[in-house]
């Protein structure tokens, strides 16, 4: 008789390994690790049914610190390995851990195809706007003027915007969080609940090579520059004293003042997470003139790649019996009756 007792709910410590967690003191990766370990029990995940896949970089040590199955793969190829894992066993919860260099430079092609295929997995991109593991070179997300060993006079590259890249690749779920913010678990839960490829950019502080690069909106004194969006709620920030409205003539967002909390009188727009066009506007807003948009920016599920592959394989196998010899013998074959004569 099968034991139908449901598995006991896990605790955060059940997701911790016996490995020494080794990042630079003060690195934002510590906070992200703890947020993930706290979130796992709350979403009902099980360690034995979970896989973390990473590429190369500081963030890619993550699988060693999660008491789950895991793969520490090669630079930029985590999406390819994760795709194989998910197709081999679609019942597994697959999480991809990557960085701005790993996912958007050598791994840009793989990241794009994973998102457009809509593999059912979670992609956590730790963005610190620098190559940390290889000692501080500028990355695809580094800002113009960034001085580094590879750009001693300042970078002249126009940086990539991870969430814009994801939307352009066809991602159906795009979100942003901050390494030390209390709302990060909320974003992780929403990503897990989404059926399909869930892309989450996490602003992560590199205390050694790019310290405080996000301080203009992450510091407590600057929290008014954060705009945490919520589906069906007005786009407000700065303690509700400012909001975003749609300039209907130019079809762009603009900042308006909100007096006495009356956001409707100020014509503040309401967030619609199913609106891809609005999501594009939110991720492309130039910071400074606009706040930093955070939370679930876009969430509009579509059929997943792995479910389509499973359905296709099932249909192809319908009414057939496995026959390895027949498979090997099909097509063009040759039979050698005797050894060739040697002169």
């Amino acid at each position: 008789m099968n034991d139908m007792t449901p598995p006991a709910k896990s605790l955060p410590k059940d997701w911790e390994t016996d490995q020494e967690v080794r990042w630079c003191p003060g690195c934002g990766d510590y906070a992200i690790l703890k947020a993930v370990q706290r979130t796992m029990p709350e979403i009902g995940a099980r360690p034995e049914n979970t896989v973390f896949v990473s590429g190369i970089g500081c963030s890619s040590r993550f699988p060693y610190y999660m008491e789950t199955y895991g793969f520490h793969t090669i630079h930029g190829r985590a999406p390819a390995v994760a795709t194989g894992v998910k197709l081999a066993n679609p019942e597994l919860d697959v999480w991809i851990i990557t960085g701005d260099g790993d996912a958007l430079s050598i791994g840009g092609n793989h990241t794009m195809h994973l998102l457009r295929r809509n593999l059912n997995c979670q992609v956590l991109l730790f963005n610190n706007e620098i190559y940390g593991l290889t000692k501080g070179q500028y990355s695809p997300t580094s800002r113009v003027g960034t001085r580094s060993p590879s750009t001693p006079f300042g970078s002249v590259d126009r940086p990539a915007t991870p969430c814009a890249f994801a939307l352009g690749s066809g991602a159906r779920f795009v979100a942003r969080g901050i390494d030390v913010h209390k709302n990060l678990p909320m974003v992780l839960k929403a990503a897990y609940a989404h059926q399909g490829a869930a892309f989450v950019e996490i602003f992560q502080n590199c205390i050694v090579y790019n310290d405080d690069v996000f301080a203009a909106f992450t510091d407590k004194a600057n929290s008014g520059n954060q705009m945490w969006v919520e589906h069906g709620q007005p786009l407000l920030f700065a303690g509700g004293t400012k909001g975003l409205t749609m300039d209907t003539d130019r079809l762009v967002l603009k900042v308006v003042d909100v007096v006495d909390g009356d956001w409707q009188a100020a014509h503040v727009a309401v967030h619609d997470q199913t609106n891809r066009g609005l999501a594009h506007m939110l991720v492309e807003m130039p910071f400074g003139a606009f706040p930093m948009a955070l939370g679930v920016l876009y969430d509009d599920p579509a059929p997943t790649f792995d479910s389509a592959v499973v359905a296709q394989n099932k249909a192809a196998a319908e009414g057939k019996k496995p026959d390895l010899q027949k498979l090997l013998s099909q097509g063009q074959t040759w039979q050698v009756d005797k050894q060739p004569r040697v002169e």
Side-chain angles (χ1 to χ4, degrees):
M1 181 176 180
N2 293 331
D3 184 5
M4 302 300 290
T5 305
K9 184 177 179 179
S10 64
L11 299 172
K13 65 179 180 62
D14 296 326
W15 297 84
E16 301 173 3
T17 71
D18 60 359
Q19 299 299 298
E20 179 188 0
V21 181
R22 297 190 65 181
W23 286 303
C24 299
C27 176
D29 288 357
Y30 286 99
I32 300 173
L33 175 64
K34 285 300 181 183
V36 172
Q37 290 171 339
R38 289 197 307 269
T39 300
M40 289 306 206
E42 296 179 12
I43 60 178
R46 305 198 316 274
E48 70 275 11
N49 200 57
T50 305
V51 183
F52 279 82
V53 184
S54 67
I56 293 296
C58 295
S59 63
S60 293
R61 296 174 181 172
F62 211 89
Y64 295 105
Y65 309 139
M66 294 297 298
E67 189 59 48
T68 66
Y69 293 104
F71 292 90
H72 186 181
T73 68
I74 56 178
H75 209 183
R77 272 61 176 184
V81 174
T83 299
V85 170
K86 190 67 177 180
L87 293 183
N89 188 349
E91 299 303 315
L92 293 174
D93 291 336
V94 177
W95 296 73
I96 297 175
I97 305 296
T98 186
D100 44 303
D102 187 54
L104 300 179
S105 184
I106 191 171
N109 190 45
H110 292 277
T111 304
M112 177 188 72
H113 291 304
L114 178 109
L115 296 175
R116 73 166 179 82
R117 286 173 175 148
N118 200 30
L119 186 79
N120 191 15
C121 65
Q122 293 71 235
V123 182
L124 307 187
L125 186 151
F126 298 13
N127 182 14
N128 55 24
E129 296 188 4
I130 208 76
Y131 278 105
L133 186 66
T134 50
K135 305 302 182 285
Q137 298 89 342
Y138 87 118
S139 83
T141 59
S142 296
R143 304 172 195 187
V144 173
T146 298
R147 291 181 178 270
S148 76
S150 53
T151 53
F153 304 111
S155 169
V156 296
D157 272 1
R158 182 183 177 187
T161 302
C163 287
F165 173 89
L167 286 167
S169 299
R172 309 294 302 193
F173 180 102
V174 176
R176 276 180 178 152
I178 298 172
D179 50 10
V180 297
H181 201 281
K182 65 180 181 180
N183 286 352
L184 181 57
M186 175 194 72
V187 174
L188 298 175
K189 291 175 187 177
Y192 182 77
H194 176 83
Q195 290 298 303
F199 181 89
V200 180
E201 176 188 12
I202 304 175
F203 294 110
Q204 177 257 322
N205 190 49
C206 176
I207 196 168
V208 174
Y209 297 110
N210 215 15
D211 192 23
D212 287 337
V213 69
F214 304 119
F217 64 89
T218 59
D219 275 4
K220 187 175 182 180
N222 299 324
S223 60
N225 293 328
Q226 300 174 14
M227 184 179 69
W228 287 90
V229 303
E230 185 178 349
H231 184 62
Q233 297 299 313
L235 296 172
L236 297 170
F237 64 102
T241 62
K242 293 183 180 295
L244 298 182
T245 189
M246 182 67 70
D247 184 333
T248 54
D249 292 331
R250 300 175 57 218
L251 295 179
V252 295
L253 294 171
K254 66 179 183 180
V255 176
V256 293
D257 293 321
V258 177
V259 180
D260 296 329
D262 192 351
W263 60 268
Q264 291 172 312
H267 304 290
V268 173
V270 172
H271 183 49
D272 178 3
Q273 66 185 24
T274 67
N275 187 328
R276 180 182 288 270
L278 176 59
H280 270 289
M281 291 182 183
L282 292 173
V283 303
E284 293 283 13
M285 293 188 304
F287 179 73
F290 290 87
M292 180 58 65
L294 301 157
V296 179
L297 307 172
Y298 182 61
D299 186 355
D300 190 18
T304 65
F305 177 68
D306 43 299
S307 63
V309 171
V310 169
Q312 185 181 65
N313 289 343
K314 183 178 179 181
E318 192 72 32
K320 298 179 181 178
K321 294 182 179 180
D323 188 334
L324 181 60
Q325 185 57 49
K326 182 179 179 180
L327 176 65
L328 294 174
S329 301
Q330 70 182 12
Q332 294 179 320
T333 60
W334 292 267
Q335 180 174 337
V336 178
D337 294 327
K338 60 182 180 179
Q339 294 293 323
R341 187 176 65 180
V342 178
E343 297 293 342

